[in-house]
Amino acid sequence: MERASIRAVNTSTPIGYWGPPTSTIDWCELNYEYSYYIAEFWNTISNLLFVILGFYGLYRSIKMGFEPRFHLQYIGVMVTGFGSAMFHGTLQHVYQQCDETPMVWSVLAWIYIVYNNEIEQIPVKNASNYVIAFLTTIGVIFTVMHAIYRFTTAFQLFFAVLAVLACARLCMHYTEVKDPRARAVARSYVISCLFGLVFWVIDYHYCHTVRGLPINPQGHAWWHIFMGVSSYYGPIFMLYVRLEQLQKKARICDACFCIQTITVEDNGAMKSKLL
């Protein structure tokens, strides 16, 4: 079994309600510092943004009659938020699976969304069904192998490769979109990803340096916040791209708390397609 702990095990670390950590990663935040029942307080509550934005995105997607794959993507965002909170709240391996496995399933769905143009151009009847079956098979294989072998670095590399492939394709879509507000949403997605990655790297690789600071900046909690934002805005931009392809009049507009959403003129005439 691969063991990837960010810091050496400290026998003086407080043991809370969930007992000693069994996860393959113990992040830079001090365990049980704020609550006997929550192992990593800030890393846990920061997942609320995944749940809130995922729920709002799902609500809008269903209300506007968008295609089911966008519903699925926002469900994945919410499930990842819940799973991540369970992981950081307990630092138990079983709940680590509830964090990392939904991340992979969500990014597989995201791959399907951003590469939908290429999928539709495959000269095979029902090609999209084959692609869905292929991506589902990858997800199942990963889920089983990850549960058995508890690999950490391989998971991180696998997720990173898929995320980079998806981001690269989204950037290509960006060059084809002219609407300034839609382009701003795409930039928010990319910038949030980059900021989140910086905080993740600092928290993961430079914990000993961070521990020497007067205040722990809680880098992994910021990773959650920035990735929560990007996980919301990415599908919003791809919805705009998709609606343009369907020759619908889409518009990016402001919602509550400076969040952008998408509306469609003559939405009543819009018919959802199966995936």
Side-chain angles (χ1 to χ4, degrees):
M1 179 189 73
E2 178 181 2
R3 183 73 184 178
S5 179
I6 289 183
R7 56 182 182 273
V9 175
N10 185 348
T11 56
S12 64
T13 298
I15 302 300
Y17 177 81
W18 300 99
T22 61
S23 59
T24 61
I25 299 178
D26 188 357
W27 298 92
C28 201
E29 181 178 358
L30 291 175
N31 297 347
Y32 298 103
E33 185 176 16
Y34 296 97
S35 171
Y36 175 75
Y37 298 98
I38 303 176
E40 295 176 340
F41 180 80
W42 295 111
N43 288 352
T44 300
I45 65 170
S46 56
N47 285 289
L48 280 173
L49 197 61
F50 283 105
V51 178
I52 293 171
L53 291 180
F55 178 80
Y56 182 68
L58 176 63
Y59 163 75
R60 291 288 302 173
S61 184
I62 294 174
K63 181 179 180 180
M64 300 301 295
F66 296 141
E67 294 166 314
R69 60 176 174 268
F70 293 100
H71 306 346
L72 183 63
Q73 183 63 36
Y74 280 122
I75 290 173
V77 172
M78 286 192 296
V79 172
T80 298
F82 282 119
S84 182
M86 293 165 65
F87 167 38
H88 291 288
T90 66
L91 290 180
Q92 299 300 298
H93 177 258
V94 63
Y95 298 118
Q96 182 178 355
Q97 301 297 309
C98 296
D99 174 19
E100 295 173 350
T101 301
M103 287 175 65
V104 169
W105 281 94
S106 294
V107 78
L108 288 171
W110 185 225
I111 287 285
Y112 181 84
I113 289 173
V114 297
Y115 283 96
N116 186 253
N117 282 9
E118 288 75 12
I119 294 170
E120 290 184 341
Q121 293 172 10
I122 297 175
V124 176
K125 185 178 180 180
N126 298 322
S128 62
N129 292 336
Y130 291 112
V131 173
I132 291 170
F134 174 70
L135 294 174
T136 301
T137 301
I138 292 176
V140 170
I141 292 173
F142 170 83
T143 301
V144 174
M145 298 294 288
H146 191 29
I148 295 173
Y149 295 105
R150 302 177 63 174
F151 43 73
T152 298
T153 303
F155 153 71
Q156 292 170 347
L157 291 175
F158 182 56
F159 179 82
V161 168
L162 293 177
V164 169
L165 288 173
C167 188
R169 184 64 184 97
L170 183 140
C171 290
M172 293 173 65
H173 284 299
Y174 173 84
T175 63
E176 301 165 356
V177 170
K178 305 303 180 185
D179 183 82
R181 300 206 69 179
R183 290 169 66 89
V185 167
R187 289 195 298 271
S188 296
Y189 165 79
V190 174
I191 292 171
S192 295
C193 286
L194 293 176
F195 272 106
L197 178 61
V198 168
F199 278 108
W200 185 92
V201 169
I202 291 173
D203 193 81
Y204 190 85
H205 291 288
Y206 299 99
C207 182
H208 293 295
T209 301
V210 169
R211 286 293 186 83
L213 299 175
I215 299 177
N216 187 334
Q218 306 299 344
H220 198 74
W222 283 107
W223 152 262
H224 288 159
I225 291 171
F226 282 112
M227 292 309 296
V229 171
S230 71
S231 297
Y232 172 77
Y233 279 131
I236 291 292
F237 176 73
M238 288 308 303
L239 274 167
Y240 184 90
V241 171
R242 180 59 174 163
L243 290 168
E244 277 202 332
Q245 293 170 351
L246 296 174
Q247 298 182 341
K248 302 293 181 180
K249 294 182 179 179
R251 181 169 60 90
I252 302 294
C253 59
D254 294 326
C256 54
F257 303 109
C258 300
I259 297 173
Q260 280 74 50
T261 187
I262 189 168
T263 59
V264 187
E265 296 181 14
D266 299 324
N267 184 60
M270 182 177 177
K271 302 295 183 181
S272 295
K273 295 183 178 180
L274 292 177
L275 293 176

